[in-house]
């Protein structure tokens, strides 16, 4: 059975990470993420230098969910659910194809600890098992090797490079590598 991913705001809990709604008390952590240049080197999202801009984003996350445009989730370690260490995104839902796109960014203090891999695993399991999505995809800049490895570790298949197929703010025309995983693909080990 397939559900619409926008029917209910997700709260995704795995063994080590929880993906939850971003709330006003997350502002400092969210600002630390969105104002960190390292995190936006390979991203279509522009850096945010103003804390008020980031504060407004929290309301926009709610609006985007209600408009069925995107779902933004705070990534937390289960040891500290009040501290978001990154942001997971679920967007571009196509009901007719039963397909959705994911994205993620992690505060660089938490890089290299397997958190992004666990985040993608939790999102993938949720979207396949709870929502019944058939195809999950992610788009990654060719230079972003770490993010490609996160997807490969989660059994996503590299379909190919979309050459100069997207315009990203601050980057212009970009090449993106398309990764995907189908519900019928081999289960996550």
């Amino acid at each position: 059975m397939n559900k619409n991913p926008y029917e209910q705001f997700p709260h995704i809990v795995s063994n080590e990470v929880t993906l939850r709604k971003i709330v006003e008390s997350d502002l400092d952590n969210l600002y630390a993420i969105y104002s960190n240049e390292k995190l936006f080197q390979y991203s279509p999202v522009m850096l945010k230098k103003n804390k008020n801009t980031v504060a407004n984003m929290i309301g926009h996350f709610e609006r985007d969910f209600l408009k069925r445009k995107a779902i933004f989730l705070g990534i937390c370690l289960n040891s500290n659910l009040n501290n978001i260490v990154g942001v997971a995104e679920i967007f571009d839902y196509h009901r007719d194809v039963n397909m959705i796109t994911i994205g993620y960014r992690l505060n660089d203090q938490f890089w290299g600890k397997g958190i992004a891999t666990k985040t993608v695993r939790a999102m993938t399991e949720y979207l396949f098992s709870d929502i019944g999505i058939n195809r999950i995809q992610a788009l990654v800049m060719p230079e972003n090797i770490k993010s490609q490895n996160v997807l490969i570790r989660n059994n996503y298949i590299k379909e190919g490079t979309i050459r100069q197929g997207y315009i990203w703010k601050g980057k212009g025309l970009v090449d993106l590598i398309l990764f995907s995983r189908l519900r019928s693909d081999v289960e996550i080990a």
Side-chain angles (χ1 to χ4, degrees), residues 14 16-17 113-123 150 154:
S14 73
E16 295 176 61
V17 296
K113 300 178 190 302
I115 298 167
T117 299
K118 291 168 186 150
T119 297
V120 169
R121 181 171 293 133
M123 279 197 287
V150 163
N154 277 290

Side-chain angles (χ1 to χ4, degrees), residues 45-76:
V45 178
M46 296 295 283
L47 195 65
K48 308 287 188 267
K49 301 241 186 229
N50 181 318
K51 206 169 194 177
N52 289 333
T53 304
V54 176
N56 288 334
M57 288 170 61
I58 295 172
H60 293 172
F61 292 161
E62 178 80 12
R63 182 196 67 198
D64 287 347
F65 174 76
L66 294 172
K67 285 185 169 182
R68 297 175 174 237
K69 187 175 156 191
I71 301 168
F72 290 86
L73 297 162
I75 303 167
C76 302

Side-chain angles (χ1 to χ4, degrees), residues 5-188:
Y6 297 102
E7 276 176 32
Q8 184 178 342
F9 198 90
H11 184 87
I12 305 167
V13 180
S14 73
N15 288 342
E16 295 176 61
V17 296
T18 294
L19 312 179
R20 64 160 174 81
K21 189 173 192 170
I22 297 169
V23 293
E24 286 180 20
S25 58
D26 294 319
L27 177 58
D28 289 340
N29 288 324
L30 197 64
Y31 181 68
I33 292 163
Y34 278 93
S35 63
N36 184 337
E37 280 185 43
K38 284 187 193 173
L39 308 191
F40 292 89
Q41 191 176 354
Y42 307 119
S43 171
V45 178
M46 296 295 283
L47 195 65
K48 308 287 188 267
K49 301 241 186 229
N50 181 318
K51 206 169 194 177
N52 289 333
T53 304
V54 176
N56 288 334
M57 288 170 61
I58 295 172
H60 293 172
F61 292 161
E62 178 80 12
R63 182 196 67 198
D64 287 347
F65 174 76
L66 294 172
K67 285 185 169 182
R68 297 175 174 237
K69 187 175 156 191
I71 301 168
F72 290 86
L73 297 162
I75 303 167
C76 302
L77 300 176
N78 288 348
S79 57
N80 187 354
L81 295 176
N82 293 321
N83 184 33
I84 64 170
V85 299
V87 177
E89 302 170 35
I90 300 170
F91 58 99
D92 276 350
Y93 172 58
H94 294 275
R95 196 177 106 211
D96 49 347
V97 182
N98 195 16
M99 169 178 90
I100 206 154
T101 304
I102 60 168
Y104 42 89
R105 67 181 40 89
L106 207 55
N107 191 321
D108 62 337
Q109 298 167 23
F110 296 91
W111 288 359
K113 300 178 190 302
I115 298 167
T117 299
K118 291 168 186 150
T119 297
V120 169
R121 181 171 293 133
M123 279 197 287
T124 301
E125 288 176 357
Y126 168 78
L127 290 167
F128 283 155
S129 301
D130 295 19
I131 303 300
I133 291 289
N134 183 56
R135 174 187 167 92
I136 304 170
Q137 64 180 29
L139 296 159
V140 183
M141 288 184 86
E143 302 85 356
N144 193 348
I145 303 300
K146 286 182 178 183
S147 191
Q148 291 180 51
N149 288 337
V150 163
L151 293 164
I152 291 165
R153 280 193 292 272
N154 277 290
N155 299 327
Y156 279 71
I157 293 166
K158 182 178 180 176
E159 293 189 349
T161 302
I162 301 165
R163 299 178 312 138
Q164 298 181 11
Y166 288 84
I167 293 180
W168 277 11
K169 291 178 194 165
K171 305 249 183 294
L173 215 47
V174 295
D175 293 349
L176 293 174
I177 298 175
L178 177 63
F179 284 85
S180 73
R181 178 129 178 235
L182 301 178
R183 193 171 14 176
S184 60
D185 288 344
V186 179
E187 282 302 306
I188 295 175

